[in-house]
Amino acid sequence: MIEVFNLSKHFGSKSVVKDLSFTVKKGEVLGFLGPNGAGKSTTMRMVTGFISPSSGDAKICDVSVVDHPKQAKSHIGYLPESAPLYDDMTVCDFLKFCAEMRGLKGAAGKEAVGKSIETCFLENVARQSIGTLSKGYRHRTCLAQSLLHDPEVLILDEPTDGLDPNQKHEVRKLIKRLGEDKAILFSTHILEEVDAACSRAVIIDQGSIVADGTPEELREQSGSNSLQDLFRSLTTKETD
Amino acid sequence: MFTIFKRELKSYFIQPTAYAVICIFTFLALFFGMFFGNFLERGDASLTWSFFFWHPWILMLLAPALGMRVWAEEQRTGTIELLGTFPTTIWSAILGKFAAAATVWLLALALTFPMIIAVNTLGDPDNLTIFSGYVGSFLLCCTFLAITCLVSAFTRDQVSCLIISCTICMILVVIGYEQVAMRIRQMFSVAISESILSITAFEHFKPAIQGSIRIEDLIYFLSIIVACLLCTSAILNSKRS
């Protein structure tokens, strides 16, 4: 479903993503781990077609993001890192707008919005202005827009960032459930989420993949049965 | 494009922006016309000098005030990332946003109708000349909006966008005035001064308010609008490459 081939990104002379390749199959939840500034968000932005790669390509359901961005984007649901929203709209209006942008109009749009609101537990705030929402509800609203068109591929950039423990638990459960029939790529630097939601994980550091495997395989690789130890040994500390 | 147009238009009216711009424009246009334009003493039934003459001065400040958020706000809040990952082109977004801002201005211009009623009640005006003046004002307004759109694509700071856009619009207006034009002619050679003066918006706006919409003026306004929107697209694309 997601196939990434030799993806690279340079900003001026700085190489942010270096020759990255990986795949995510249907029914797989791939955790994209790495310290801040490792290149996770840049990779995700390239896979979603928001920024173009310096070299390489990504295929979404066999459609190239570089050659056919519009078609590829129609298969993707994307939750950006900061969960950006239009503060002047109500949750319901925002979701209706996103549904229309995805080509879901009239009854189909209404149904998609209703389903999304239900999935993300937004019933209580559906008529509320987004500007007045708490961080948790903002995140869930943005997550809801990514689910509207029932995409085959979900790309979630730090979906649990800023949520309280209960909300984190709910979102992880939701990701796991959605991952049964979708390909999900989600980034995090919270290692406990790997066990809670991922079927596979890659660790990325300074733009390159430094480890790839199931949570069990990665734990074995650490020597001490600890993901945290593996993460610390493979990634560059900011103070280094 | 229509979905973005609808969202933007609604957004202008949810926030106080559109109301503020429409009220201030209507008030200033009528106030300038009545008092500075000496509407009653002048006996100018075509509204050319008493009413339309003041529009460039008002629009060079208010058009950027309405348009400054177009892209600056999207970039500041990060919603441009959402727009950029919807299965649509950047052109739909550019045209939708531009059309929404232009619609607000169309409404603002329409709300100066008391002036038309007054002039028709008091005299026997040439309504076609008045219509031509409105077309000129709308084109000028769209030109200033397109310039503001381009500037807002560069920055996420609305205040910087407002200052830069107002300055550009002001230059386009001010260099067309007699005294300034005369000074430019004195300072530069004929070729240079004529090239400078040919870019002034006022020179192309003047025929419209006098009742003649010339092809060259239409080309002038439309070419600036299209060029600015094309450059906006190029800037937004380059930021994503």
Side-chain angles (χ1 to χ4, degrees):
Chain A
M1 285 246 182
I2 306 175
E3 294 164 283
V4 173
F5 309 102
N6 309 104
L7 212 58
S8 297
K9 185 72 190 173
H10 315 289
F11 292 116
S13 59
K14 197 179 176 198
S15 198
V16 182
V17 176
K18 299 167 195 162
D19 206 27
L20 220 63
S21 298
F22 60 88
T23 57
V24 189
K25 297 186 193 96
K26 186 179 177 178
E28 201 170 39
V29 180
L30 179 72
F32 211 43
L33 309 176
N36 291 328
K40 303 188 296 287
S41 294
T42 308
T43 306
M44 291 183 137
R45 283 174 179 161
M46 286 192 282
V47 175
T48 56
F50 178 62
I51 56 173
S52 45
S54 302
S55 63
D57 196 0
K59 281 189 176 177
I60 308 293
C61 303
D62 293 322
V63 182
S64 161
V65 170
V66 176
D67 298 332
H68 306 286
K70 202 173 159 184
Q71 210 185 330
K73 284 173 188 176
S74 65
H75 297 289
I76 305 174
Y78 177 48
L79 168 69
E81 188 180 2
S82 53
L85 302 163
Y86 293 108
D87 284 355
D88 53 6
M89 298 176 103
T90 64
V91 172
C92 205
D93 284 345
F94 171 73
L95 293 176
K96 266 187 212 158
F97 163 70
C98 294
E100 275 190 42
M101 290 298 289
R102 296 271 179 199
L104 298 165
K105 291 175 184 169
K110 212 172 167 184
E111 195 190 336
V113 169
K115 207 172 155 192
S116 223
I117 285 178
E118 198 186 317
T119 309
C120 297
F121 312 105
L122 291 166
E123 292 92 340
N124 294 339
V125 293
R127 304 269 161 216
Q128 204 171 313
S129 167
I130 289 173
T132 63
L133 294 182
S134 66
K135 198 170 179 182
Y137 274 121
R138 288 180 70 88
H139 240 82
R140 277 191 270 166
T141 305
C142 206
L143 181 62
Q145 66 74 30
S146 70
L147 303 174
L148 281 167
H149 52 304
D150 193 21
E152 290 112 307
V153 169
L154 267 179
I155 297 178
L156 312 171
D157 199 350
E158 305 197 3
T160 57
D161 184 41
L163 303 185
D164 68 37
N166 292 334
Q167 291 167 339
K168 274 185 186 170
H169 178 71
E170 288 303 324
V171 170
R172 284 173 197 156
K173 250 176 40 184
L174 178 65
I175 291 171
K176 207 164 183 176
R177 183 161 62 80
L178 292 168
E180 286 167 13
D181 63 346
K182 295 183 195 301
I184 301 183
L185 171 65
F186 91 93
S187 75
T188 181
H189 42 231
I190 305 167
L191 297 176
E192 61 191 85
E193 287 188 343
V194 176
D195 284 317
C198 300
S199 50
R200 220 180 93 221
V202 295
I203 301 176
I204 174 172
D205 184 50
Q206 294 188 327
S208 305
I209 290 177
V210 289
D212 183 353
T214 62
E216 293 74 31
E217 284 168 352
L218 292 178
R219 222 177 269 113
E220 271 172 36
Q221 211 179 313
S222 73
S224 57
N225 205 30
S226 159
L227 269 179
Q228 199 158 350
D229 288 345
L230 181 72
F231 187 87
R232 285 169 63 85
S233 66
L234 291 176
T235 58
T236 317
K237 295 176 191 71
E238 274 182 54
T239 47
D240 285 354
Chain B
M1 181 195 136
F2 187 62
T3 307
I4 293 178
F5 168 78
K6 269 195 313 185
R7 197 213 86 76
E8 286 293 311
L9 195 59
K10 204 172 168 188
S11 164
Y12 281 122
F13 288 96
I14 290 172
Q15 294 172 349
T17 327
Y19 301 105
V21 165
I22 289 172
C23 289
I24 294 170
F25 174 76
T26 314
F27 170 74
L28 288 180
L30 297 177
F31 179 79
F32 277 37
M34 287 291 177
F35 295 97
F36 296 116
N38 293 323
F39 171 65
L40 295 173
E41 294 83 1
R42 193 187 285 266
D44 170 22
S46 66
L47 297 178
T48 303
W49 304 112
S50 56
F51 179 63
F52 290 115
F53 174 80
W54 301 100
H55 283 196
W57 295 99
I58 307 170
L59 293 177
M60 71 186 186
L61 298 172
L62 287 184
L66 186 82
M68 65 182 182
R69 60 182 275 275
V70 171
W71 291 107
E73 182 75 355
E74 295 275 356
Q75 294 182 86
R76 190 185 63 78
T77 57
T79 42
I80 195 161
E81 203 167 339
L82 276 184
L83 277 185
T85 49
F86 286 138
T88 178
T89 59
I90 194 75
W91 259 111
S92 330
I94 291 172
L95 291 178
K97 281 170 169 284
F98 178 74
T103 305
V104 174
W105 273 113
L106 202 57
L107 188 61
L109 285 168
L111 285 174
T112 58
F113 71 91
M115 210 65 184
I116 306 172
I117 295 174
V119 82
N120 274 283
T121 310
L122 297 171
D124 183 23
D126 178 359
N127 280 315
L128 275 178
T129 303
I130 295 176
F131 177 73
S132 159
Y134 272 106
V135 172
S137 276
F138 184 61
L139 284 172
L140 184 69
C141 199
C142 288
T143 306
F144 290 169
L145 274 179
I147 291 168
T148 311
C149 279
L150 173 59
V151 176
S152 79
F154 278 100
T155 177
R156 54 175 63 193
D157 180 25
Q158 294 191 31
V159 178
S160 311
C161 174
L162 178 68
I163 294 168
I164 296 167
S165 309
C166 281
T167 309
I168 297 170
C169 298
M170 198 181 289
I171 291 169
L172 285 180
V173 171
V174 168
I175 56 174
Y177 277 85
E178 215 48 64
Q179 289 88 337
V180 183
M182 212 187 317
R183 189 88 184 104
I184 289 171
R185 284 196 185 96
Q186 285 166 0
M187 283 169 69
F188 301 100
S189 67
V190 178
I192 296 175
S193 61
E194 287 312 309
S195 327
I196 294 173
L197 293 174
S198 68
I199 63 156
T200 170
F202 193 71
E203 276 305 307
H204 297 276
F205 175 66
K206 214 159 56 179
I209 63 174
Q210 288 172 316
S212 78
I213 299 170
R214 303 180 305 181
I215 296 288
E216 60 195 272
D217 301 326
L218 277 178
I219 291 173
Y220 168 83
F221 287 120
L222 293 179
S223 57
I224 294 186
I225 293 168
V226 172
C228 284
L229 296 184
L230 280 172
C231 290
T232 304
S233 162
I235 298 299
L236 293 173
N237 280 326
S238 76
K239 285 192 168 184
R240 290 165 52 188
S241 61

